[in-house]
Amino acid sequence: MSEQEPFEGATPRGPLRVFLVDDHAMFRAGVRAELGARVDVVGEASSVAEAVTRIAATQPDVVLLDVHMPDGGGRAVLEAMRRTHPQVKFLALSVSDAAEDVIGLIRAGARGYVTKTISPEELTDAIRRVADGDAVFSPRLAGFVLDAFASRPDAPVADPELDQLTNREREVLRLLARGYAYKEIAKELFISIKTVETHVSNVLRKLQMSNRYELSRWAADRRLV
C-alpha cells in the first residue's frame, strides 16, 4: 500500500496546518520555501505576544517554535498556550543544541526538538510525527532528555550564573565558545559586529571573567558548546 492510500475505513487527512514562530523574517521565509506544498503554513509570528494571539486564532496542528527571541522565547509561548490550547503540538526548531535549552522546552511541553541544520524532508517527517503524537529529536539531543528525566525527573533546570544572561547573550556565548569570530557570530545571529561586542562585554562582566578562553571553559563545563 502506498503512503497516499489510506487504510480501509480511514478518514483522509489534508495537509498538516503549521505555524512558524521565529524572530528572523528571512528564516521564516526560508522555512516556508523549503516546506513548499508538503504542509499548509497557516501563519507566522516574530514575537511571543504575536504568536500567542495568532496561534489561538489559526488553531494549527503543529507550531514550529524558535527557542530564543528577545521577549521571552519559545518557553514563554508554550507556557501561555498549553493550558488553553492543549491540542496544539509544538516542535522546537532552533540553532541551539544546548542541553538546557532542549530540556527546558521539553519540560515546558514541546513534543520535540530539532536543530536548524535539519533537511526539508526530515523536517516534514518530524512535523508529521509530532502531529501524530510522537516525540521527535535530532539524534544528538535525545540523550540530553533521557539523561535529565532518568536521573533527576523532578529537578528544575536552573543555573544561577546562567540565569543572569539574556537569551541573546547565551546565543553569543555558545557561538563564541565554539570558536566563532565576532564577524561569524554577527552573520549567524543577524546582528551587527558592534552588538556582538556589546553582548560579549556584558557576559564577561556578569560572569566576572576577563577573556573568551575563560568563557569557553565555563560554557564547556555546562555542556553549552
Side-chain angles (χ1 to χ4, degrees):
M1 180 180 292
S2 70
E3 288 187 5
Q4 286 75 28
E5 296 173 340
F7 289 105
E8 185 176 353
T11 301
R13 180 173 68 179
L16 287 171
R17 304 174 73 254
V18 175
F19 193 97
L20 309 178
V21 181
D22 194 289
D23 60 331
H24 294 135
M26 289 179 64
F27 178 75
R28 296 197 308 272
V31 172
R32 273 184 177 273
E34 288 180 344
L35 290 177
R38 297 180 178 94
V39 301
D40 181 13
V41 178
V42 297
E44 58 185 65
S46 60
S47 68
V48 172
E50 184 181 28
V52 169
T53 299
R54 294 188 176 180
I55 292 169
T58 55
Q59 299 284 312
D61 298 306
V62 177
V63 176
L64 292 181
L65 186 65
D66 192 17
V67 177
H68 297 304
M69 294 186 292
D71 56 348
R75 189 162 186 167
V77 176
L78 276 163
E79 291 172 348
M81 298 299 301
R82 64 184 177 183
R83 294 185 186 89
T84 57
H85 296 79
Q87 78 283 3
V88 178
K89 297 180 174 67
F90 291 82
L91 173 61
L93 176 61
S94 176
V95 69
S96 170
D97 58 2
E100 84 278 3
D101 286 336
V102 179
I103 297 166
L105 264 289
I106 298 306
R107 288 195 188 280
R111 291 294 303 171
Y113 194 117
V114 295
T115 60
K116 290 181 177 180
T117 57
I118 194 170
S119 71
E121 293 76 18
E122 290 170 333
L123 180 56
T124 302
D125 181 63
I127 291 169
R128 287 175 178 158
R129 289 171 59 193
V130 165
D132 288 338
D134 291 343
V136 181
F137 301 93
S138 293
R140 177 173 175 268
L141 308 184
F144 296 155
V145 179
L146 291 173
D147 290 346
F149 284 86
S151 60
R152 301 178 65 195
D154 299 319
V157 179
D159 183 324
E161 289 185 297
L162 189 62
D163 288 345
Q164 299 178 73
L165 307 182
T166 66
N167 288 333
R168 184 61 87 190
E169 287 168 354
R170 295 185 194 192
E171 289 180 322
V172 170
L173 169 61
R174 190 170 298 117
L175 294 174
L176 191 72
R178 289 176 178 175
Y180 282 56
Y182 285 8
K183 182 178 180 180
E184 294 170 324
I185 296 173
K187 182 178 180 181
E188 181 76 17
L189 300 180
F190 300 95
I191 57 180
S192 70
I193 296 176
K194 182 65 176 178
T195 300
V196 173
E197 293 173 348
T198 299
H199 286 314
V200 172
S201 295
N202 289 340
V203 172
L204 288 168
R205 174 178 52 80
K206 289 179 179 180
L207 299 181
Q208 298 182 4
M209 297 180 186
S210 58
N211 58 60
R212 67 180 297 166
Y213 304 105
E214 291 181 358
L215 287 178
S216 295
R217 287 197 301 271
W218 186 90
D221 289 343
R222 285 161 173 75
R223 299 176 69 181
L224 301 181
V225 181

